[in-house]
Amino acid sequence: MGSINLKQVTKDFGDVSVIKPIDLAIKDGEFIVFVGPSGCGKSTLLRMIAGLEDTTSGNIEIDGQDATDTPPAKRGLAMVFQSYALYPHMSVRNNIAFPLKRAKVSKAEIEKKIASVTKTLNLSDYLDRKPGQLSGGQRQRVAIGRAIVRQPSAFLFDEPLSNLDASLRVNMRLEISELHKTLATTMIYVTHDQVEAMTMADRIAVFNAGIIEQVGSPLELYNTPVNKFVAGFIGSPKMNFIAVEPTATDATCCLGIRPEHITISTTSGTWPGKVGVIEHLGSETFLHVHVEGKATFTVKAGGDCPYVYGDNIYLSAVENKMLHFDAAGITLPQQHASLVAI
Amino acid sequence: MATSNSRTLARLMLFPSVVLLLAWMLVPLCMTLYFSFLDYNLLTPGNNAFIGFLNYEFFLTDPAFFASFFNTILLVGGVLLITLGGGIGLAILLDQAIWGRNYVRIMVLAPFFVMPTVSALVWKNMLMNPVNGLFAHFATWLGMSPIDFFAQIPLLSIIIIVSWQWLPFAALILLTSIQSLDREQLDAADLDGAGPFSKFYYIVLPHLSRAITAVILIETIFLLSIFAEILVTTSGGPGYESTNITYLIYTQSLLQFDVGGGSAGGIVAVIIANIVAIFLMRLIGKNLED
Ligand SMILES: Nc1ncnc2c1ncn2[C@@H]1O[C@H](COP(=O)(O)OP(=O)(O)OP(=O)(O)O)[C@@H](O)[C@H]1O
Ligand SMILES: [Mg+2]
């Protein structure tokens, strides 16, 4: 059990409104990822769900029960912090046992639970060490262990992997996904990392300045973003935007095209341009192409890209892959877009 | 200081200050040591004969020595207990987001800026005076007979005065330590179901252990040589009830003009201070490591 329902939830710090009214229904067992630019209120909302931050107005329901004013420990949620927040004076064993001891679980029961958790997380060899004597990845695992051992109805992660190096991050990402599959517990996961969001999430919620712009599956957000913000935020490298003049029949103010939906030709195309910096990643290549009178385009090409700095080339968009945005940045319907393309 | 080169350089550059410090310490210490073996009394000037350990014998077998030795321990221990307990409490209070917190912090610090003699005089004449003191007025108002602090509970009165002076120091050190506590640890403890007492005992207190150690070590060093407060209030009396080692040495050497005996007492005090220091470092010094 672990459904979480946010109903018109808001948060003010003094007269700054950090969370504007938010509605969000998180289903039991779902892996939902919060993404958004820095300072948009992701951590704040997560802490409100955990009960560490008061709710200014609105309701938080956990398992159908109103939990808006329930103290953190009574909500049955567990949180993994970015700084791990391990207790530095306690051994790994005591760190993991701490929530159980507070809940007055019997000694034998605690031993059993610790054994099973440390086995799952490969921590058995470190039980008597202090957190200061562990590597970043091991600390992260202890933090996760401390969360799992309480068998919460939902896990809250606040950028849990941002302090780890790239390769460890890939490993831990897989471990957390694996954990989600085996435990089948609701997880709310805050991240800055595009790859984490796209690969781990059942659904992604894109935040911007205290509101949710769009909620949907990763591919839904990628293919049919509701507005220019989501289109630009999801996907790496970013979508290219081209400003156009709206006409009497067509409200389009801006066109959006993803780097992989642009074809390159040496002879003809929609936009003539000059090749700038080229980033070779082995399996693929990103070209930054300066187009006269427009912006710089990012174009994705295959690994064996023949172009060099300064080449003159032509770019064109793959048909029907272009997104149209109106003056307010709202995505215009697809049929309309294809009509214009003709 | 990684390479052997930089280590040598560091030693070379430290050399002058170490020599200066050593001379500064050693010359008076050696002179005291020398005097302590002489029959050196200012009232009977003359030969200053070498009398071996006689001064030490007199000092150590004097009943006043034992009284003042235990008084010193009580004084140091009592003040440590009060300042640590009160300091932790104050630090936690001052860490809360209360209105006008900055002003309160400065006010709490104020006693530390008052000279020991002045604060002792204020306590003696304005607060603890059995006739005019505030406490006496309060007691009469309650219908009780006022306490004559310096006659009835001289040592405790001095402990109270000294604690009042050192409380801000302890509170300030502990406050900075509390402020360096990672708030996410407290949040995590909240989620783990720890109540206020558990959070204090399992998270705040272990975090403070280092600062507590520092406070104990620093305060002990200064408290072993409390003098002005005793001189101004009780002059060590009644009897030897509020005499500590420092004050005893003063009465020996200055009031009785016995330089030799006073010097012997001084050396004993140095030895006691070192024993206390070694004892403390063994006991709690490991908190300062890692
Ligand atoms: N205690 C506080 N008092 C006042 N303002 C706060 C407080 N905590 C957060 N804020 C503000 O609320 C906004 C949202 O903060 P929050 O930490 O939720 O951002 P975030 O989305 O998690 O950002 P990041 O991705 O950088 O972690 C920020 O503008 C921040 O300055
Ligand atoms: Mg954050």
Side-chain angles (χ1 to χ4, degrees), chain A residues 47 73 79 81 83 87 89 150, chain B residues 184 187 189 191-193 206-207:
Chain A
R47 292 170 56 83
M79 186 154 170
F81 296 86
S83 67
Y87 310 126
H89 307 279
R150 295 169 46 205
Chain B
E184 290 200 336
D187 289 343
L191 279 164
D192 283 345
H207 177 79

Side-chain angles (χ1 to χ4, degrees), chain A residues 296-316:
Chain A
T296 300
F297 280 44
T298 310
V299 182
K300 184 178 159 185
D304 49 354
C305 167
Y307 308 105
V308 294
Y309 185 87
D311 277 0
N312 285 311
I313 55 172
Y314 294 90
L315 306 176
S316 1

Side-chain angles (χ1 to χ4, degrees), chain B residues 34-56:
Chain B
Y34 171 64
F35 289 150
S36 72
F37 291 111
L38 298 184
D39 175 17
Y40 186 178
N41 194 312
L42 297 178
L43 291 181
T44 54
N47 55 354
N48 298 349
F50 183 82
I51 51 166
F53 282 94
L54 207 61
N55 280 327
Y56 287 93

Side-chain angles (χ1 to χ4, degrees), chain A residues 1-6 24-32 63 153-154 180 184-188 202-203 215-217:
Chain A
M1 287 302 290
S3 64
I4 296 170
N5 239 326
L6 306 181
L24 182 63
I26 300 167
K27 293 189 278 289
D28 182 29
E30 188 173 31
F31 197 122
I32 188 160
D63 287 335
S153 55
H180 178 242
T185 310
T186 313
M187 291 189 177
I188 307 177
D202 293 328
R203 283 198 300 162
V215 188
S217 73

Side-chain angles (χ1 to χ4, degrees), chain B residues 109-285:
Chain B
L109 256 186
F112 204 54
F113 298 125
V114 180
M115 280 181 293
T117 37
V118 174
S119 72
L121 278 174
V122 168
W123 276 85
K124 181 185 181 180
N125 295 322
M126 293 178 70
L127 297 172
M128 288 178 162
N129 188 298
V131 180
N132 289 319
L134 224 67
F135 295 155
H137 281 301
F138 189 65
T140 12
W141 181 70
L142 283 179
M144 300 188 302
S145 64
I147 306 170
D148 186 356
F149 284 90
F150 297 113
Q152 289 170 327
I153 41 166
L155 191 62
L156 185 63
S157 306
I158 289 172
I159 289 178
I160 291 171
I161 296 173
V162 176
S163 297
W164 180 77
Q165 288 169 355
W166 282 92
L167 189 61
F169 171 78
L172 192 72
I173 301 255
L174 294 168
L175 175 65
T176 54
S177 178
I178 281 191
Q179 286 175 333
S180 73
L181 175 61
D182 178 12
R183 298 289 134 160
E184 290 200 336
Q185 278 179 34
L186 292 178
D187 289 343
D190 259 335
L191 279 164
D192 283 345
F197 179 77
S198 294
K199 272 197 285 191
F200 174 74
Y201 186 76
Y202 290 106
I203 292 156
V204 178
L205 209 53
H207 177 79
L208 287 181
S209 65
R210 210 181 259 233
I212 290 175
T213 310
V215 169
I216 291 179
L217 290 177
I218 295 173
E219 281 196 11
T220 305
I221 292 167
F222 283 95
L223 294 179
L224 279 173
S225 55
I226 289 288
F227 177 75
E229 291 83 349
I230 299 175
L231 179 75
V232 169
T233 54
T234 63
S235 301
Y240 287 113
E241 268 184 60
S242 58
T243 300
N244 66 352
I245 300 264
T246 317
Y247 196 81
L248 183 70
I249 294 165
Y250 160 76
T251 50
Q252 291 262 318
S253 59
L254 261 151
L255 298 187
Q256 299 170 15
F257 300 98
D258 182 2
V259 177
S263 296
I267 296 296
V268 170
V270 168
I271 291 168
I272 290 176
N274 275 294
I275 291 172
V276 169
I278 291 168
F279 179 69
L280 278 180
M281 285 308 279
R282 279 281 158 84
L283 203 67
I284 55 177

Side-chain angles (χ1 to χ4, degrees), chain A residues 57-89:
Chain A
S57 72
N59 288 308
I60 298 172
E61 283 178 7
I62 299 172
D63 287 335
Q65 305 273 327
D66 185 21
T68 316
D69 297 317
T70 312
K74 297 260 157 49
R75 297 192 181 197
L77 309 177
M79 186 154 170
V80 176
F81 296 86
Q82 182 176 2
S83 67
Y84 314 130
L86 298 177
Y87 310 126
H89 307 279

Side-chain angles (χ1 to χ4, degrees), chain A residues 279-298:
Chain A
E279 295 172 307
H280 291 283
L281 298 182
S283 62
E284 58 204 18
T285 308
F286 295 117
L287 298 100
H288 298 270
V289 182
H290 305 292
V291 172
E292 199 79 21
K294 308 265 180 199
T296 300
F297 280 44
T298 310

